[in-house]
Amino acid sequence: MTAFRSAALMAITAMFASSCADISVYRYRNVYTMVEPVVSSDKTFADDIIEMNFFVDEKKIHFTARNKTSDPVTMDWGKASFVNVDGLKHSVTNARVIFTPGKDDPEPVVINPGASMSDYVAPVKNVEKLEEWTWYVYPLFNLKDDGALGNRGKIIGLDVPVKAKGEWRTYSFRFEVSHVAPSAQLLK
């Protein structure tokens, strides 16, 4: 095998390995529990309007939302907020616009009756364009050194304005770091 082919194979292997959920470039990972509007270790919330299932990773809050009504439901991401551990609110961007010049102004999303949609959000302030075609999303917490152990007990959140049945309401979701665990790391 030529040196070029060997290097290409190693690069492709590293790319696929880095996409695995159990392997991280960080030394630690946070384990979250939803603490508002309900306490839920599986980070699920449901009422008569919407069902939300969350997954929080190093950089983003992922979710699946299901419209439980017989009318369209609108989620206004342009008015949604990421709530930092200090309680300060920051605008969010989502999967549709995160790596575009429009990242600062995501459009509302309409979920049809009975339908579901999956997306993720990140604080706009954590997304940086490094150069043409190269973007970086900063982690929500320090996860690279022993200072990460201090993440336990910290709370972050997501406030989402939702229009259902002709009325707006804001859902406030809060996630507490319940554990900080060592992560499987890529060899350097």
Side-chain angles (χ1 to χ4, degrees):
M1 183 178 288
T2 68
F4 175 77
R5 291 175 86 190
S6 178
L9 181 60
M10 287 175 37
I12 291 169
T13 302
M15 179 181 71
F16 284 113
S18 67
S19 67
C20 295
D22 295 331
I23 299 179
S24 175
V25 297
Y26 300 105
R27 186 171 172 200
Y28 294 97
R29 66 182 182 88
N30 291 335
V31 178
Y32 295 89
T33 298
M34 181 187 295
V35 293
E36 288 180 32
V38 296
V39 175
S40 172
S41 60
D42 66 354
K43 296 169 284 311
T44 299
F45 167 80
D47 65 7
D48 59 330
I49 304 292
I50 199 157
E51 179 180 331
M52 299 285 291
N53 298 293
F54 292 95
F55 171 74
V56 184
D57 70 14
E58 294 99 342
K59 300 178 179 186
K60 302 176 204 90
I61 299 175
H62 302 257
F63 63 90
T64 299
R66 183 172 66 91
N67 178 352
K68 294 176 63 179
T69 74
S70 57
D71 299 309
V73 167
T74 302
M75 302 177 91
D76 192 344
W77 293 112
K79 294 181 181 167
S81 300
F82 171 81
V83 183
N84 205 354
V85 295
D86 56 9
L88 295 177
K89 294 184 177 190
H90 303 276
S91 57
V92 299
T93 187
N94 66 4
R96 290 168 179 75
V97 295
I98 190 169
F99 302 126
T100 71
K103 72 177 173 58
D104 297 332
D105 191 25
E107 294 185 8
V109 173
V110 176
I111 307 171
N112 290 322
S116 297
M117 57 87 66
S118 295
D119 203 347
Y120 63 76
V121 295
V124 170
K125 70 178 188 65
N126 285 16
V127 181
E128 181 181 2
K129 183 175 183 179
L130 302 176
E131 59 185 64
E132 193 64 32
W133 305 108
T134 306
W135 295 78
Y136 185 75
V137 180
Y138 291 93
L140 300 171
F141 286 94
N142 168 25
L143 298 169
K144 63 183 178 181
D145 57 37
D146 288 343
L149 298 172
N151 295 343
R152 187 173 180 169
K154 292 183 178 176
I155 296 175
I156 59 172
L158 179 63
D159 291 346
V160 185
V162 174
K163 184 178 182 181
K165 300 178 182 178
E167 294 182 18
W168 284 98
R169 69 168 70 173
T170 298
Y171 286 91
S172 296
F173 300 101
R174 298 295 181 266
F175 307 96
E176 180 178 12
V177 179
S178 54
H179 303 287
V180 179
S183 65
Q185 288 187 274
L186 292 171
L187 297 175
K188 295 181 180 185

